[in-house]
Amino acid sequence: MGYKVVVVGATGNVGREMLNILAEREFPVDEIVALASRKSLGTEVSFGDKTLTTKDLDTFDFTGWDMALFAVGSEATKKYAPKAAEAGCVVIDNSSLYRYDPDIPLIVPEVNPDAIEMYSNKNIIANPNCSTAQMVVALKPLHDRAKIKRVVVSTYQSVSGSGKDAIDELWNQTKGMYVPGQEVAPSVYPKQIAFNVIPHIDVFMDSGDTKEEWKMIAETKKIVDPSIKVTATCVRVPVFVGHSESINIEFEDFLDEDEAREILRTAPGILVVDKREDGGYVTPVECVGDFATFISRIRQDVTIENGLNLWCVSDNLRKGAALNAVQIAELLGRRVLKKG
Ligand SMILES: NC(=O)c1ccc[n+]([C@@H]2O[C@H](COP(=O)([O-])OP(=O)(O)OC[C@H]3O[C@@H](n4cnc5c(N)ncnc54)[C@H](OP(=O)(O)O)[C@@H]3O)[C@@H](O)[C@H]2O)c1
């Protein structure tokens, strides 16, 4: 016996990837339904070798369904996730709406799987921000060994992190650069994204940080350890899929770069590719479609007492969203619902 699974936002970047990953990982599904807005009613989406016809979220009854993987914006989540949860269907949500609610678990299964026990508070589980998810997978095993005091992270985030319209904007703007009269003005982003980088993701806060930077700080504390200090600069780059991060870590105890490399090699969810030669590191185009978080360029930072630098790359639609959500569904199944 398997699960009755709802995928909400099934026509979007994350929703489509959730369907792919549920099929790839042979999640025990008895019945599955794909939901999106009314305008997508009847749109076909793939689930393994099957095709699902999208239904309207607005009229869907969640009663009798085991779990709903939500990948719609916060506004639609606010309207529909409580309906699902109240109907007894456990919500696994990709938006930022519930991440900072102390009663709702925010889970990266390699890092804090035990938080799943809190799911029953509201029948809702939150999935972290894409840039946080891949970073905490790398931080946790190092923190367990040498206790992290402070993290300085700079991100290089792909446009797929802003939804399907952003992918079109990069594509059309890039093509338009070469065709006189077909230039495409910025619309999703505040400045040109083609052949450019933009040090601004999400809204500005009073502190001067952007909301994306604040999310990395708050979510790392909630998932790994509230004592870890984080400062972040989040940057959008003209890459379609795959987020990269330069991470500088200051530890309480000394951690040698070779030992750090060995710890990361055996840590769950991580693949270390770290050769000090041309191409001996991973770039975003190589991580697309993969489950792993890739770590490269592991080296001592000798400018501080116990410092380490590393380079972290992952498929933001996978570990940063859909894969993590499916891993949470697997955890929920294994630990709580116990079907399949
Ligand atoms: N992309 C990432 O790397 C990433 C990472 C972490 C979290 N997230 C979060 O995941 C969510 C989805 O992101 P995305 O990148 O997949 O966006 P997207 O490509 O723009 O897709 C949005 C999906 O939501 C549906 N939707 C929007 N409003 C709706 C409504 N009122 N009723 C029903 N369906 C509605 C859309 O359906 P239609 O096609 O019918 O409009 C579409 O299926 C967002 O909350 C985002 O912040 C994304």
Side-chain angles (χ1 to χ4, degrees):
M1 198 168 66
Y3 297 96
K4 289 183 70 176
V5 180
V6 188
V7 173
V8 185
T11 52
N13 286 335
V14 177
R16 285 177 191 271
E17 208 57 27
M18 289 198 300
L19 288 165
N20 290 338
I21 294 172
L22 285 165
E24 277 172 36
R25 292 172 75 97
E26 297 179 352
F27 188 79
V29 166
D30 262 4
E31 202 176 336
I32 189 159
V33 63
L35 306 181
S37 75
R38 189 161 303 155
K39 79 169 160 53
S40 301
L41 191 69
T43 300
E44 293 190 335
V45 289
S46 300
F47 172 59
D49 53 11
K50 298 191 183 67
T51 301
L52 307 177
T53 304
T54 308
K55 296 187 174 159
D56 180 9
L57 168 63
D58 197 41
T59 54
F60 186 75
D61 180 1
F62 288 88
T63 310
W65 292 81
D66 294 304
M67 54 179 89
L69 279 61
F70 268 69
V72 292
S74 292
E75 221 171 286
T77 304
K78 196 173 184 175
K79 187 168 174 195
Y80 298 103
K83 285 187 184 170
E86 280 157 28
C89 174
V90 183
V91 171
I92 299 169
D93 178 37
N94 271 283
S95 81
S96 58
L97 186 68
Y98 297 113
R99 289 180 193 155
Y100 317 107
D101 182 331
D103 292 331
I104 291 182
L106 176 65
I107 300 180
V108 174
E110 295 90 339
V111 179
N112 62 337
D114 294 344
I116 194 81
E117 306 301 336
M118 283 170 64
Y119 90 97
S120 56
N121 288 349
K122 295 193 176 168
N123 243 9
I124 297 174
I125 301 163
N127 206 37
N129 182 40
C130 40
S131 39
T132 310
Q134 67 184 70
M135 181 171 79
V136 297
V137 169
L139 294 184
K140 171 70 172 153
L142 302 176
H143 184 57
D144 287 345
R145 160 64 182 80
K147 196 152 187 354
I148 295 172
K149 282 165 65 174
R150 179 170 182 257
V151 173
V152 183
V153 56
S154 300
T155 70
Y156 306 74
Q157 295 180 225
S158 68
V159 297
S160 58
S162 320
K164 51 193 179 183
D165 293 346
I167 293 181
D168 292 343
E169 184 154 312
L170 174 58
W171 176 248
N172 292 327
Q173 221 170 55
T174 305
K175 282 192 302 180
M177 301 286 282
Y178 297 102
V179 187
Q182 288 190 19
E183 296 82 3
V184 175
S187 157
V188 175
Y189 296 115
K191 297 206 182 207
Q192 174 187 317
I193 184 66
F195 306 102
N196 202 6
V197 298
I198 306 174
H200 169 199
I201 301 181
D202 211 331
V203 296
F204 279 95
M205 306 184 69
D206 289 344
S207 63
D209 282 339
T210 63
K211 189 81 183 283
E212 184 82 354
E213 290 154 358
W214 177 86
K215 286 175 191 168
M216 291 193 79
I217 298 165
E219 293 177 22
T220 302
K221 287 177 180 290
K222 184 166 175 179
I223 298 167
V224 188
D225 186 333
S227 72
I228 297 178
K229 292 180 187 163
V230 180
T231 182
T233 301
C234 293
V235 181
R236 191 71 67 191
V237 297
V239 167
F240 285 108
V241 180
H243 286 359
S244 308
E245 296 172 345
S246 159
I247 307 175
N248 175 263
I249 311 168
E250 184 180 355
F251 297 95
E252 252 172 39
D253 304 325
F254 178 73
L255 179 59
D256 177 73
E257 60 188 21
D258 292 330
E259 188 184 351
R261 199 173 290 109
E262 281 318 301
I263 290 170
L264 291 167
R265 270 193 217 289
T266 55
I270 291 179
L271 269 176
V272 173
V273 178
D274 192 21
K275 292 187 183 154
R276 294 176 175 179
E277 61 188 38
D278 289 356
Y281 42 80
V282 170
T283 60
V285 292
E286 294 151 295
C287 78
V288 177
D290 212 301
F291 287 145
T293 293
F294 293 90
I295 307 293
S296 307
R297 305 289 324 277
I298 302 163
R299 64 209 190 276
Q300 227 77 52
D301 172 6
V302 295
T303 66
I304 50 174
E305 204 175 344
N306 298 318
L308 197 76
N309 287 309
L310 52 88
W311 175 249
C312 171
V313 180
S314 197
D315 181 330
N316 54 293
L317 297 177
R318 291 200 156 216
K319 187 59 199 166
L323 170 63
N324 200 69
V326 173
Q327 287 177 298
I328 294 173
E330 291 168 347
L331 182 67
L332 181 72
R334 229 175 20 250
R335 294 257 193 117
V336 184
L337 304 180
K338 296 185 175 158
K339 289 186 185 175

